[in-house]
């Protein structure tokens, strides 16, 4: 059986956009997640409650529902229109941010409380202790689950084809709609995803082993 590689140029373009959305989305998601994660361990009840509510809403609703709500629901209410690409980046940032918040919370809370007391005994403020003592140790704990979240967000971008974002899945659907070459095209799509996720998983496991030794 001869495979049809005519979809390759379209899929390569889609893959580029998939990577851009993932990298930019997870970058902003990391910022959002770090803020939310620290809010969740705050002593101020209102700040902690706001973070918990946001994280639970995002984690408790399907990503596809979030995509439709943000891309169609909010613009429909405001009488405006969102660019699908910006919607995609925003949704990936918000969604990954909610999960990264739990990673940050768990990472910080895994560090012995005595570390904070030791920092304060040295004359450091709470913020300085967090920055120079707690955070560097917590980052080592957070790296493996953060890597897993990156891979999950990468695969989640496939749902953005539902709002016509020209990522990998959208390009494959457009190509097969004209050529009906379903088997060959979607086989290539799977191989493209595997070409990214397998090396990322190997790198992640290698990083975990290095961190265990350090």
């Amino acid at each position: 059986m001869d495979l049809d590689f005519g979809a390759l140029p379209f899929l390569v373009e889609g893959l580029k956009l998939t990577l851009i959305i993932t990298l930019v989305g997870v970058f902003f998601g990391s910022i959002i997640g770090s803020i939310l994660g620290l809010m969740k361990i705050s002593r101020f009840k209102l700040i902690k409650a706001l973070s918990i509510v946001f994280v639970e809403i995002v984690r408790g609703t399907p990503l596809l529902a979030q995509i439709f709500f943000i891309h169609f629901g909010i613009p429909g209410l405001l009488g405006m229109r969102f660019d699908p690409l910006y919607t995609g980046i925003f949704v990936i940032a918000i969604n990954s941010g909610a999960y990264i918040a739990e990673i940050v919370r768990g990472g910080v809370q895994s560090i012995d409380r005595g570390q904070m007391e030791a920092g304060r005994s040295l004359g450091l403020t709470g913020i300085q202790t967090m920055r120079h003592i707690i955070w560097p140790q917590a980052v080592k704990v957070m790296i493996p689950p953060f890597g897993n979240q990156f891979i999950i967000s990468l695969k989640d971008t496939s749902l953005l084809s539902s709002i016509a974002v020209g990522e990998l899945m959208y390009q494959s659907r457009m190509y097969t709609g004209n050529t009906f070459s379903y088997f060959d095209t979607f086989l290539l799509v799977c191989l493209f995803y595997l070409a990214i996720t397998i090396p990322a998983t190997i790198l992640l496991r290698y990083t975990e082993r290095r961190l265990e030794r350090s």
Side-chain angles (χ1 to χ4, degrees), residues 40-95:
K40 291 195 74 172
I41 58 176
S42 172
R43 293 175 295 174
F44 300 100
K45 292 183 178 180
L46 179 59
I47 292 177
K48 184 175 183 179
L50 289 174
S51 174
I52 291 173
V53 169
F54 179 86
V55 169
E56 292 306 316
I57 288 175
V58 174
R59 283 162 54 95
T61 54
L63 179 59
L64 188 58
Q66 296 169 19
I67 293 170
F68 285 167
F69 176 74
I70 292 172
H71 190 66
F72 298 116
I74 295 177
L77 182 65
L78 300 177
M80 56 190 301
R81 187 176 182 181
F82 290 167
D83 184 291
L85 176 59
Y86 294 140
T87 297
I89 293 174
F90 182 74
V91 171
I92 293 297
I94 292 296
N95 187 268

Side-chain angles (χ1 to χ4, degrees), residues 63 67 92 95 149 151-160 193:
L63 179 59
I67 293 170
I92 293 297
N95 187 268
Q149 181 56 48
I151 293 173
I152 291 170
S153 294
L154 173 72
K155 293 184 290 185
D156 282 346
T157 58
S158 62
L159 294 174
L160 298 175
Y193 278 116

Side-chain angles (χ1 to χ4, degrees), residues 189-208:
V189 169
C190 292
L191 292 175
F192 271 47
Y193 278 116
L194 289 172
I196 301 172
T197 57
I198 289 178
T201 302
I202 294 173
L203 178 61
L204 183 59
R205 290 174 180 170
Y206 172 77
T207 305
E208 287 183 47

Side-chain angles (χ1 to χ4, degrees), residues 169-194:
M169 277 301 299
Y170 180 81
Q171 294 286 14
S172 65
R173 288 171 58 188
M174 292 300 99
Y175 183 80
T176 55
N178 293 322
T179 64
F180 304 102
S181 181
Y182 296 105
F183 178 84
D184 300 346
T185 302
F186 290 120
L187 174 61
L188 289 172
V189 169
C190 292
L191 292 175
F192 271 47
Y193 278 116
L194 289 172

